[in-house]
Amino acid sequence: GQKDAINTTIINFNNEKMQITWATRELFPNENVSFFYTFDEGKHKVWKPCTTYLLDQDYNSGCLFKTEGPTLAISIRNSNRSEELFSKKLKTDFYIKPNRPENVTFSWKEDTVTVSCNKPERAAWCLRLELQYKSKFDEEWQSRTSKCCSVADQGFDPRKCYSFRVRLRRLVPYCNMVNYSSDWEAETFWMNGTLLDSCDEDITSQSNTVIVLSCSLAVLLMMLILLILLCKWQRVQKSVLPTIPDPKYLFADLFNDHDGNLQEWLDKNDHVMLQTKVEYEEPESITEAESQQEDGKNSDKQGPLEKIFTFSGAAENNDSKAAEIACLIPASNTMASFAGFHILRNDDMYVML
């Protein structure tokens, strides 16, 4: 009874290899035990020594060997093989751990996913195909199980990226004494029927889209703000610093025809200046001129019409020639008198009319 009480772990890897392990440090402290096995039945058994030991701190803690039949007998003995410490007989089919599913395929139809794999050659009815998945917003895996070798589920959001993994499980207690499952098949990532390298790509693409949109909006906003500021600055500039007209546009013929020679331009345009003075003379001057004309009717003729109008800047001479002389540009670094004002000028200055 004591020999059967030792706890061992027995795994039959897809009915191809057997692995038997034990807690050697707890069961057999400071002793390197020996392991024997046989698949023979009856009285005449041929015991085979273990050739591939599993070690725990240099002590034998398990054995790995080929599966050769449905019935297995094991024996653990002391280091010199003279005493049997543990023995057990078992059915190898009750400890099968299946291999990972092969040739896994994913089929998408709207919000439904169907996962399939190759059907094993032996005891497929003892196997169940388990599917687990989660989105990037889920913390735990969602699980679905179906008969080998196809499982389907629905309700997948095409806007989300999902992680999928599948494995095969043995039925307990109909086929196995221990609930063994295969290792998980490599995890895959899907989004709306498209295979991705990882769900990080989806997050990265969305982040890049958000960044591009944010930058575009920021640029447009800055351009709008600059446009508003420019319009306001132009208004402020016009109110604070009014534009000074360029005389070359008002007196184009002075600069184009006479190269800025005011004296030459005045001599040629006496009649134009006289007409301008008449048009822009203040009402008081016109009234005064009219009264002078009425007084002149009772006396002799006083001369041509241009002598009646006086140039306000030449009141001392009281004739039109004095006004023309006052408009002439004096010599460099001399004092110019115009309309009652005295201006000190040099060769680099000009007078705006």
Side-chain angles (χ1 to χ4, degrees):
Q2 183 178 1
K3 293 181 180 180
D4 295 335
I6 295 177
N7 187 19
T8 58
T9 301
I10 304 168
I11 303 176
N12 182 2
F13 292 102
N14 199 41
N15 215 25
E16 297 172 357
K17 287 186 177 182
M18 297 293 300
Q19 176 180 293
I20 312 296
T21 58
W22 56 87
T24 184
R25 297 181 63 186
E26 299 176 1
L27 300 175
F28 316 109
N30 302 322
E31 185 174 3
N32 211 358
V33 297
S34 300
F35 181 85
F36 294 86
Y37 67 93
T38 181
F39 289 93
D40 296 334
E41 297 184 16
K43 295 181 179 180
H44 303 286
K45 298 177 182 179
V46 179
W47 292 92
K48 297 179 180 180
C50 179
T51 57
T52 305
Y53 278 103
L54 304 177
L55 302 178
D56 181 8
Q57 296 184 358
D58 297 330
Y59 287 94
N60 296 336
S61 63
C63 182
L64 187 64
F65 53 95
K66 184 180 179 181
T67 304
E68 298 175 358
T71 302
L72 172 65
I74 62 175
S75 175
I76 298 177
R77 304 173 184 178
N78 59 4
S79 57
N80 57 14
R81 305 178 182 182
S82 61
E83 180 183 358
E84 187 178 72
L85 304 177
F86 173 75
S87 65
K88 186 173 184 178
K89 187 177 181 180
L90 54 94
K91 292 290 185 180
T92 56
D93 290 345
F94 289 163
Y95 300 89
I96 292 179
K97 178 177 181 179
N99 287 340
R100 291 187 296 183
E102 298 178 354
N103 193 23
V104 179
T105 58
F106 289 80
S107 176
W108 290 74
K109 186 177 181 181
E110 296 179 353
D111 66 339
T112 302
V113 178
T114 303
V115 183
S116 304
C117 67
N118 288 348
K119 188 175 182 179
E121 296 179 357
R122 295 181 55 186
W125 66 273
C126 283
L127 297 174
R128 293 293 181 267
L129 182 62
E130 181 181 5
L131 168 67
Q132 287 191 348
Y133 60 88
K134 67 177 180 178
S135 71
K136 60 186 178 181
F137 303 103
D138 299 327
E139 296 182 358
E140 298 182 355
W141 291 92
Q142 306 293 324
S143 184
R144 296 292 182 272
T145 304
S146 182
K147 292 181 179 181
C148 184
C149 292
S150 179
V151 59
D153 198 7
Q154 60 184 7
F156 292 93
D157 190 342
R159 298 169 297 179
K160 294 181 180 179
C161 178
Y162 291 90
S163 304
F164 291 91
R165 63 182 185 181
V166 293
R167 66 180 178 181
L168 291 172
R169 296 174 55 185
R170 288 275 292 186
L171 288 176
V172 177
Y174 306 103
C175 299
N176 259 33
M177 293 183 63
V178 182
N179 188 12
Y180 282 149
S181 301
S182 71
D183 295 333
W184 290 104
E185 179 63 9
E187 188 175 347
T188 56
F189 307 92
W190 295 82
M191 180 177 180
N192 196 21
T194 302
L195 180 63
L196 304 176
D197 292 335
S198 69
C199 284
D200 294 336
E201 293 182 0
D202 176 46
I203 298 175
T204 302
S205 61
Q206 291 183 357
S207 301
N208 291 338
T209 304
V210 171
I211 291 173
V212 171
L213 291 177
S214 300
C215 292
S216 302
L217 292 175
V219 170
L220 292 176
L221 182 61
M222 290 180 62
M223 293 178 63
L224 180 60
I225 293 175
L226 290 175
L227 184 61
I228 294 174
L229 292 177
L230 180 61
C231 294
K232 289 186 174 294
W233 169 248
Q234 290 179 349
R235 292 181 181 179
V236 172
Q237 189 177 25
K238 288 181 179 180
S239 60
V240 177
L241 300 174
T243 304
I244 300 176
D246 194 337
K248 70 180 180 180
Y249 297 109
L250 299 176
F251 304 96
D253 54 344
L254 172 63
F255 296 95
N256 295 335
D257 300 338
H258 303 284
D259 295 330
N261 190 331
L262 183 60
Q263 181 61 55
E264 181 180 338
W265 179 77
L266 289 174
D267 293 341
K268 189 176 179 180
N269 297 278
D270 285 343
H271 64 285
V272 176
M273 292 182 60
L274 178 60
Q275 183 178 357
T276 302
K277 287 188 293 181
V278 172
E279 291 178 355
Y280 292 97
E281 188 69 44
E282 293 183 357
E284 291 84 356
S285 300
I286 296 175
T287 304
E288 182 181 353
E290 291 178 353
S291 61
Q292 290 178 359
Q293 287 180 354
E294 292 177 358
D295 295 338
K297 290 179 180 180
N298 299 326
S299 62
D300 298 331
K301 298 295 182 179
Q302 294 182 1
L305 181 61
E306 65 271 12
K307 290 185 180 181
I308 299 175
F309 299 96
T310 61
F311 194 81
S312 59
E316 295 177 359
N317 297 327
N318 199 20
D319 61 318
S320 60
K321 289 297 183 179
E324 294 177 3
I325 295 173
C327 293
L328 297 178
I329 299 178
S332 61
N333 296 326
T334 59
M335 186 70 69
S337 297
F338 183 76
F341 294 94
H342 300 284
I343 303 172
L344 180 63
R345 63 170 301 278
N346 54 31
D347 292 338
D348 298 330
M349 295 180 59
Y350 63 86
V351 178
M352 181 187 299
L353 297 179

